[in-house]
Amino acid sequence: MPTRRLLLPHLVVPIVLACAACSKEAPQAPAATPPAAATAAAPATPPAAASTAAAAPAAAADRVFSHEELAQMVAPIALYPDPLLAQVLMAATYPGDVADAATWSKANPKATGDAAVKQVADQPWDPSVQALAAFPQVLATLGQDPGWVQRLGDAFLSQPDDVMDAVQVLRHKAQDAGNLANNDYQKISTQPAPARVAEAPAAEAAQYDDSGAGAYSTPTQQAYTDTIVIESADPQVVYVPSYNPTTAYGAWSYPSYPPPYYPPPSAYYPVGTALARGLAWGTGVAIADSLWGDMDWNNNDVNINVSNYNSINSNRQISSNANRWEHNSLNRDGVPYRDQRSRDQYSNRLADSGSRDHLRGDDPARARQREQARQSMQGRGMEAPARTNREAQDRANRARQDIAQGGGRDAQRDRAQAAQRDRAQTAQRDRADAARAGGGRDAQRERAQAASQDRQRQAGQQRDHQRAQQQQRDRANQQRSAQQRQQASQHRQQGANNHASRDHARQQQQRQQRPHNDAFAGAQRPQQSRQQAQRGHASQGHSRSRAQSGGGRQQASHQVNRQPQRSGGGQQHARSGGAQRSGGGHRR
């Protein structure tokens, strides 16, 4: 019995932890211990144990995220250099501004360093968000999951100590896995851990012990005696590491909460620089004053370098004493806070605003009167007024649904009545038609005969129609055949005419040509050739007789020239040849 009494406080703690982790809203009040259990447990609980048990539910009630969830959230950025990590944590508390900055950086991918920060100086963003404009690869990572950014900022506002402890736990895991060491891009150093982490590590989420005891065990987070500090090898150049959280920290300790991986664009990390296990480095970003925050591991806070801040934020100067970061709720742009403590701390409520409740009548006496009136109305069968606006809205929605369902039933009833009336009218028409038809065997026989005659008439009409169509097709075929024959005759006549025309044209061309000497003309027309030769000989004889009678006054080389006749070129050639021969003989 004493053992079971001691388990009751431990049972209360896990229940409250589960409620706070699942709701992600306002922390729940510690579950009240039943009076009987409290009375029974009081004698057996020592004073020290009772104070510890009372403090545990209070701490669990203030916790918004469990250690597993915090490790899951900070895994993608835990290995960033300390100044860049501080800048990311501060900017995450303004998720709306981060989303706008990521959009701007995507539209201006070549803007980096201090020049990019000065370009966004006129943007209505918080200075911590403006500083990230110098690192487009970081904004590309944050812009992939706005929900993760908001949860990270809420965790840093409500549990800054737990967030920074989760970062240190993961850094030690990466160092143990061989993925965190000095190189040309970063410098790793250690410093003594705060006493809170080394001596009293925070407890992780409770797990049920199924060994038979039926109780919850509370494993503790591993404690480290030193704090790992990551700095850039060159203070003026910052290299942003890229890594896969599922492998960079060795075997992941929380399988139920796997870390997300947001790979940056390949433009910032050339191919071949990434490692299967470890960190990849892209092009360094040259800066002077863009990073003005740094991690304060001893106080779990962020320190501000006022000189760098005022140098890069010329239009938002701060005093030299403002060397610790403070969240500005005016730059959150209406994004609600996750837990009640943050809402109370950062809500923009005026002083003494709680005293207005008394002016509205919200005092205990009025509350009791309203409750009594509500009970009286319920006793009389009347519905009590709604307690909240949500309840009133639910009632109004139910009333609208009832009205809609009632209207649907009326419409269904009207449709049924209309269908019944239609059926009655149809039956009445059928009976009237039967009465007009006469209804008997004679009427049926007459209707059958009439139907047969109609069928025969329709068949005859169909045959006549088919015959007419066939005749029409035959006439069309005949007409086509006649046309084809006529076209063939015309083609033949046209061909004959073409031959006659060609022959006539050839003859005309031959007649129009001038005669020409043709050596073969005499062979073609021998009779004409002999006649021409005889005429030539007669001419020659007549010439010789005249020469002899004239006493040789004429020259021996007399030649007879005659005009060519139209009989053709062959005759001309024959006459010329004969004259030449006669002349030659005369010369002899």
Side-chain angles (χ1 to χ4, degrees):
M1 290 300 293
T3 303
R4 294 181 179 178
R5 294 191 187 99
L6 289 173
L7 291 177
L8 288 175
H10 296 283
L11 287 173
V12 175
V13 176
I15 294 173
V16 176
L17 280 172
C19 294
C22 295
S23 64
K24 305 294 185 300
E25 298 295 338
Q28 303 292 332
T33 306
T39 305
T45 304
S51 60
T52 304
D62 293 338
R63 181 177 299 161
V64 181
F65 298 100
S66 64
H67 290 288
E68 293 88 346
E69 292 175 310
L70 294 177
Q72 182 187 43
M73 282 187 285
V74 302
I77 60 173
L79 301 184
Y80 281 5
D82 284 10
L84 182 59
L85 175 62
Q87 215 70 54
V88 171
L89 292 177
M90 289 186 293
T93 61
Y94 311 99
D97 291 351
V98 172
D100 295 340
T103 303
W104 181 91
S105 179
K106 186 176 181 180
N108 301 273
K110 296 183 179 180
T112 60
D114 294 347
V117 179
K118 293 179 181 179
Q119 290 182 23
V120 299
D122 296 334
Q123 297 290 342
W125 307 335
D126 189 82
S128 61
V129 179
Q130 293 180 356
L132 291 182
F135 307 94
Q137 58 269 53
V138 176
L139 286 176
T141 301
L142 298 177
Q144 297 183 40
D145 191 353
W148 164 61
V149 175
Q150 182 175 354
R151 296 175 71 245
L152 178 64
D154 292 341
F156 188 61
L157 287 176
S158 60
Q159 300 169 250
D161 299 350
D162 295 337
V163 169
M164 301 180 77
D165 290 346
V167 170
Q168 284 299 321
V169 170
L170 292 181
R171 286 185 175 183
H172 282 86
K173 290 181 178 294
Q175 191 178 47
D176 295 341
N179 296 323
L180 186 62
N182 292 322
N183 52 36
D184 296 338
Y185 310 100
Q186 63 182 5
K187 181 177 64 176
I188 309 300
S189 61
T190 59
Q191 62 185 23
R196 185 183 62 82
V197 177
E199 298 177 1
E204 292 186 356
Q207 300 178 359
Y208 186 75
D209 184 7
D210 57 356
S211 60
Y216 281 85
S217 61
T218 56
T220 58
Q221 183 176 347
Q222 184 178 358
Y224 294 95
T225 58
D226 55 357
T227 297
I228 296 178
V229 178
I230 303 178
E231 298 175 334
S232 298
D234 184 357
Q236 302 299 324
V237 180
V238 177
Y239 293 91
V240 182
S242 175
Y243 57 91
N244 190 342
T246 58
T247 58
Y249 302 107
W252 187 251
S253 303
Y254 315 109
S256 298
Y257 298 87
Y261 177 43
Y262 305 108
S266 58
Y268 303 112
Y269 296 89
V271 178
T273 59
L275 302 176
R277 295 176 59 89
L279 281 67
W281 308 91
T283 305
V285 179
I287 61 169
D289 302 318
S290 297
L291 294 181
W292 39 263
D294 200 358
M295 302 296 293
D296 184 1
W297 299 106
N298 293 326
N299 299 315
N300 289 327
D301 202 348
V302 174
N303 292 332
I304 303 299
N305 188 325
V306 179
S307 177
N308 291 350
Y309 180 93
N310 290 334
S311 177
I312 199 68
N313 297 289
S314 58
N315 56 345
R316 298 184 182 183
Q317 300 290 308
I318 60 176
S319 63
S320 58
N321 298 328
N323 54 2
R324 294 185 59 184
W325 175 74
E326 294 183 0
H327 175 70
N328 187 358
S329 60
L330 297 177
N331 294 336
R332 196 169 169 89
D333 296 335
V335 179
Y337 294 94
R338 185 174 298 271
D339 60 299
Q340 186 62 40
R341 185 175 63 181
S342 297
R343 286 193 290 268
D344 294 340
Q345 181 177 358
Y346 301 111
S347 60
N348 299 321
R349 299 185 63 181
L350 299 177
D352 298 333
S353 59
S355 61
R356 301 177 184 177
D357 295 339
H358 179 70
L359 300 178
R360 298 189 184 101
D362 294 338
D363 55 344
R366 291 293 300 276
R368 286 193 298 270
Q369 292 177 3
R370 284 194 295 268
E371 185 64 27
Q372 292 176 0
R374 185 178 290 106
Q375 293 177 0
S376 176
M377 294 174 64
Q378 292 178 354
R380 298 178 182 179
M382 300 173 62
E383 186 177 10
R387 296 177 180 270
T388 61
N389 293 336
R390 177 63 61 83
E391 185 179 355
Q393 293 176 359
D394 294 340
R395 290 185 182 182
N397 293 333
R398 286 196 300 269
R400 283 194 294 269
Q401 292 176 0
D402 294 340
I403 294 173
Q405 292 176 359
R409 287 193 295 270
D410 295 340
Q412 186 176 5
R413 183 171 58 253
D414 294 340
R415 287 194 297 270
Q417 293 176 358
Q420 186 176 0
R421 287 194 300 270
D422 292 340
R423 288 193 295 270
Q425 293 176 0
T426 302
Q428 186 177 1
R429 284 195 299 268
D430 293 340
R431 287 192 296 271
D433 293 340
R436 285 192 300 269
R441 285 192 300 273
D442 296 338
Q444 292 178 358
R445 186 166 50 253
E446 291 177 358
R447 287 194 296 271
Q449 292 176 358
S452 178
Q453 292 176 0
D454 292 339
R455 287 193 296 271
Q456 292 177 2
R457 185 171 57 257
Q458 291 177 359
Q461 293 176 355
Q462 186 174 4
R463 287 192 299 272
D464 295 340
H465 182 67
Q466 292 177 355
R467 190 180 302 109
Q469 288 181 348
Q470 184 64 32
Q471 293 176 358
Q472 186 177 1
R473 285 194 295 271
D474 294 340
R475 286 193 297 271
N477 292 333
Q478 293 175 1
Q479 291 177 359
R480 284 195 298 271
S481 299
Q483 291 177 358
Q484 291 176 358
R485 288 193 297 271
Q486 185 178 1
Q487 291 176 358
S489 177
Q490 291 177 356
H491 288 318
R492 288 193 297 272
Q493 184 66 27
Q494 185 177 2
N497 295 335
N498 292 337
H499 287 298
S501 299
R502 286 195 294 272
D503 294 340
H504 181 69
R506 191 180 299 109
Q507 293 175 3
Q508 288 183 352
Q509 185 177 6
Q510 290 178 358
R511 286 195 298 269
Q512 292 176 359
Q513 288 181 351
R514 297 181 60 183
H516 59 279
N517 295 331
D518 191 355
F520 298 95
Q524 294 177 355
R525 300 179 181 87
Q527 186 176 359
Q528 294 180 359
S529 299
R530 284 193 298 273
Q531 291 177 359
Q532 292 175 359
Q534 291 175 3
R535 286 196 298 270
H537 288 300
S539 299
Q540 291 177 1
H542 180 70
S543 298
R544 283 195 299 270
S545 61
R546 290 178 61 183
Q548 291 176 2
S549 62
R553 292 188 298 266
Q554 295 180 355
Q555 295 180 359
S557 59
H558 175 74
Q559 183 175 0
V560 178
N561 294 327
R562 295 180 183 272
Q563 295 294 331
Q565 298 180 1
R566 295 183 179 273
S567 60
Q571 297 178 0
Q572 181 182 3
H573 181 72
R575 287 194 298 270
S576 62
Q580 290 177 1
R581 285 194 300 271
S582 62
H586 180 74
R587 284 193 298 269
R588 288 193 300 270

